[in-house]
Amino acid sequence: DIQLTQSPSFLSASVGDRVTITCRASQGISSYLAWYQQKPGKAPKLLIYAASTLQSGIPSRFSGSGSGTQFTLTISSLQPEDFATYYCQQLHSDPITFGQGTRLEIK
Amino acid sequence: EVQLLASGGGLVQPGGSLRLSCAASGFTFSNSPMSWVRQVPGKGLEWVSTITDSGASTYYADSVKGRFTISRDNPKNTLYLQMNNLRAEDTAIYYCARYYYVSGSSRYFDYWGQGTLVTASS
């Protein structure tokens, strides 16, 4: 199975900050990586797919990059509604796996 | 508007069975692979199962293989998850999701249901 390791697991930041979350795959997954945002009591929401393509309706302050084994999610200027948990997901091969999550909290 | 409405969760004793349903609307269900993902409250996401658009092929996580069965009724726009021999560790919120899949191209879960809670406990 392909393991995804996110770092950090917990991040404290302020409104307006630029933050980066990293996702490392245990083997190459090309660009078959997606990022999701999840708020308490809600289903995950797709932000980025194919490592760097912004899903329709997602603000441009979100961006993704990477390929192979190293990927990043960047939020250029944090807004109050961005405080949530973020997950990466690989869809290169079965079983589909998720990273353990990064919890982003207000400093 | 796309909607995925999951139902069927509840309290069941270990060893018992439960069938989850996911009613889809707002997109062409019969052309869409579908998946189930679960989440222990307060923990991370775990992929459970995927079914192709026709239902001809199914895939399972090792943790549920042999106990869970994914199926679909395309004329009814409904996805199912039959869960047998439930264990305490199956306790989780179960989400249905559309799996957007184009061979050799993009793959992702673009639409998610609201989730239904399954509790396996005596």
Side-chain angles (χ1 to χ4, degrees), chain A residues 17-88:
Chain A
D17 283 354
R18 177 185 178 91
V19 299
T20 297
I21 299 169
T22 297
C23 179
R24 186 173 68 250
S26 59
Q27 56 187 273
I29 58 170
S30 184
S31 296
Y32 293 111
L33 186 104
W35 289 97
Y36 300 86
Q37 176 194 68
Q38 188 179 33
K39 296 182 178 180
K42 300 294 186 181
K45 178 181 179 181
L46 176 67
L47 300 175
I48 301 277
Y49 62 90
S52 60
T53 303
L54 196 66
Q55 170 70 341
S56 176
I58 301 301
S60 59
R61 63 180 180 273
F62 290 91
S63 64
S65 65
S67 67
T69 62
Q70 285 280 118
F71 302 86
T72 60
L73 172 70
T74 299
I75 309 172
S76 60
S77 178
L78 276 172
Q79 298 302 300
E81 61 267 29
D82 299 337
F83 293 92
T85 300
Y86 293 84
Y87 294 93
C88 58

Side-chain angles (χ1 to χ4, degrees), chain B residues 63 108 115:
Chain B
S63 57
Y108 46 85

Side-chain angles (χ1 to χ4, degrees), chain A residues 38 87, chain B residues 37-41 43-46 91-95:
Chain A
Q38 188 179 33
Y87 294 93
Chain B
V37 175
R38 68 184 181 183
Q39 183 174 39
V40 174
K43 302 298 184 182
L45 300 168
E46 180 189 16
T91 294
I93 299 166
Y94 285 73
Y95 296 101

Side-chain angles (χ1 to χ4, degrees), chain B residues 48-82:
Chain B
V48 173
S49 184
T50 292
I51 187 168
T52 55
D53 52 1
S54 67
S57 297
T58 57
Y59 307 87
Y60 298 94
D62 285 346
S63 57
V64 306
K65 201 171 293 182
R67 300 186 299 121
F68 289 13
T69 303
I70 191 172
S71 63
R72 63 192 298 157
D73 186 333
N74 283 346
K76 292 185 177 179
N77 287 347
T78 303
L79 173 73
Y80 302 101
L81 186 67
Q82 176 67 44

Side-chain angles (χ1 to χ4, degrees), chain B:
Chain B
E1 180 193 6
V2 170
Q3 282 196 324
L4 292 171
L5 187 60
S7 61
L11 176 63
V12 61
Q13 289 193 342
S17 299
L18 214 52
R19 187 177 83 155
L20 306 184
S21 299
C22 175
S25 60
F27 65 97
T28 307
F29 181 75
S30 59
N31 289 349
S32 300
M34 298 292 295
S35 292
W36 288 96
V37 175
R38 68 184 181 183
Q39 183 174 39
V40 174
K43 302 298 184 182
L45 300 168
E46 180 189 16
W47 169 79
V48 173
S49 184
T50 292
I51 187 168
T52 55
D53 52 1
S54 67
S57 297
T58 57
Y59 307 87
Y60 298 94
D62 285 346
S63 57
V64 306
K65 201 171 293 182
R67 300 186 299 121
F68 289 13
T69 303
I70 191 172
S71 63
R72 63 192 298 157
D73 186 333
N74 283 346
K76 292 185 177 179
N77 287 347
T78 303
L79 173 73
Y80 302 101
L81 186 67
Q82 176 67 44
M83 303 185 294
N84 297 331
N85 191 20
L86 280 159
R87 304 168 179 167
E89 55 265 34
D90 296 319
T91 294
I93 299 166
Y94 285 73
Y95 296 101
C96 53
R98 186 178 85 154
Y99 184 177
Y100 182 88
Y101 181 104
V102 175
S103 182
S105 183
S106 301
R107 305 170 190 173
Y108 46 85
F109 292 2
D110 54 354
Y111 302 122
W112 295 66
Q114 86 288 6
T116 186
L117 177 63
V118 172
T119 304
S121 173
S122 54

